[in-house]
Amino acid sequence: IEEALEPVDPDTELGLALAAGRRKVELLREEDPRKARQKLGAALMRRGFSWDICSKALDILLRAEDE
């Protein structure tokens, strides 16, 4: 139980958020960029990621999408 309650490393959590976000970003490719950011952020928040992690993941995922 104690192991399950230990805090998650932020880098590990960011990696998990990026993995979850990559699947969703493919589905949102045709959306308006602002709307896609809202939907992707909401999806990550529903999966339990903090806003700080979601914000970093959104920046990385959507920057990669623009390139």
Side-chain angles (χ1 to χ4, degrees), residues 32-44:
D32 170 61
R34 195 177 94 230
K35 195 172 216 176
R37 185 177 182 86
Q38 288 176 332
K39 287 183 177 185
L40 184 56
L44 292 173

Side-chain angles (χ1 to χ4, degrees), residues 11-12 14 18 28 30 37-39 50 60 65-66:
D11 291 333
T12 301
L14 179 59
L18 289 171
L28 297 172
E30 301 300 319
R37 185 177 182 86
Q38 288 176 332
K39 287 183 177 185
S50 69
I60 292 168
E65 189 68 18
D66 288 341

Side-chain angles (χ1 to χ4, degrees), residues 15-35:
L16 293 170
L18 289 171
R22 279 188 195 99
R23 291 186 293 260
K24 185 73 174 169
V25 80
E26 291 299 320
L27 298 172
L28 297 172
R29 185 181 301 272
E30 301 300 319
E31 289 277 348
D32 170 61
R34 195 177 94 230
K35 195 172 216 176

